[in-house]
Amino acid sequence: MSATSAEVRAPLKPLGRSFFDRPTETVARALLGVWVVRSTPDGLSAGPIVETEAYGGPDDLASHSRAGRTRRTTPMFGEVGHAYVYLVYGMHQCLNVVAYNGREAGAVLIRAIAPVLGVDDIRRRRGRPTDPTYRLCSGPAKLCQGLAVDRSFDGHDLTLGEGLWLAAPGAPVGLRVQSETQIASGARIGVDYAGEWAARPWRFWLAGNRSVSRQR
DNA sequence: CGAATGATACCCT
DNA sequence: GGGTATCATTCGG
């Protein structure tokens, strides 16, 4: 007997605002193992985060907030715990959660999850029928496509538990707990333009997890 | 390795 | 206001 969407909904309670009111590096680490939950008319699609990147305030030359508050970066200067979703390379979306911005307008990029719930829906939305499950959301844009997250979620409050939210592990869905796995860190990806900021080890992932976008 | 693809930021009139 | 270089990626060759 498998768990229905209704049965897993209650345990997947959204993280509260205070979780995100910490330095972005701290939040980025703490988010490993936390679930991204997406609720659509089809049901729930969800899985634990296995890879993140921390982006700081305007002084972080790799962060979008380096340009100050613009139309695009407005969510980064808003309340923590809201989503910042942007279009990159003209065709891909990336999901961030705003963190600690009372002091620096930062955000955490969610780079990969391990699909657990709604795998068939995720695979269909990805359009990759033969991909192994663990690789369906192994990248920031793949994750957004798989979970049907687009810019309509830009600014969305992730603490409400409506449509899209983040939930702490512990639910009876066979979760992998963060403490069971070693956390690795390294330079962020695709930010070579950021000078010495590019070398900061602000990318975090669960060591050895197959759903991480790139190993080592 | 390079194309796809379009919003954005930034510079210039 | 208008032109343009750039881009927190992915996929296929």
Side-chain angles (χ1 to χ4, degrees):
Chain A
M1 173 168 138
S2 63
T4 67
S5 293
E7 285 168 336
V8 299
R9 182 186 296 274
L12 294 174
K13 185 182 163 201
L15 295 174
R17 189 85 54 206
S18 60
F19 183 94
F20 306 100
D21 190 22
R22 297 181 282 171
T24 54
E25 314 94 89
T26 304
V27 175
R29 273 182 174 275
L31 279 175
L32 294 176
V34 166
W35 278 41
V36 177
V37 186
R38 174 79 169 98
S39 176
T40 73
D42 290 333
L44 294 183
S45 298
I49 296 170
V50 300
E51 180 183 358
T52 60
E53 280 177 1
Y55 286 87
D59 47 327
D60 176 6
L61 296 181
S63 176
H64 286 177
S65 67
R66 70 187 180 276
R69 180 178 184 140
T70 66
R71 172 101 176 205
R72 178 169 77 153
T73 63
T74 291
M76 291 188 75
F77 291 81
E79 190 175 30
V80 300
H82 288 245
Y84 165 48
V85 183
Y86 65 91
L87 183 73
V88 71
Y89 296 112
M91 62 186 93
H92 298 303
Q93 332 252 346
C94 291
L95 170 66
N96 299 253
V97 54
V98 177
Y100 213 35
N101 70 350
R103 292 149 84 159
E104 54 171 306
V108 175
L109 171 66
I110 301 174
R111 286 194 57 91
I113 71 168
V116 175
L117 293 181
V119 172
D120 292 343
D121 290 327
I122 291 173
R123 178 171 282 111
R124 171 177 49 76
R125 287 187 290 253
R126 284 280 297 130
R128 311 217 104 232
T130 63
D131 269 11
T133 299
Y134 70 87
R135 217 179 304 198
L136 289 173
C137 295
S138 59
K142 297 167 71 174
L143 179 163
C144 283
Q145 187 181 27
L147 296 183
V149 171
D150 58 23
R151 279 172 298 165
S152 67
F153 283 100
D154 192 36
H156 176 77
D157 189 345
L158 295 169
T159 68
L160 299 178
E162 297 172 356
L164 177 66
W165 68 97
L166 301 170
V173 197
L175 309 191
R176 197 152 316 224
V177 180
Q178 175 178 318
S179 58
E180 296 174 3
T181 320
Q182 189 179 352
I183 295 177
S185 63
R188 294 170 290 183
I189 290 175
V191 297
D192 294 338
Y193 57 82
E196 57 188 39
W197 287 90
R200 294 213 174 198
W202 282 3
R203 172 177 174 239
F204 304 94
W205 66 94
L206 295 183
N209 191 289
R210 292 186 302 174
S211 294
V212 170
S213 65
R214 313 187 197 178
Q215 290 296 345
R216 200 58 244 174

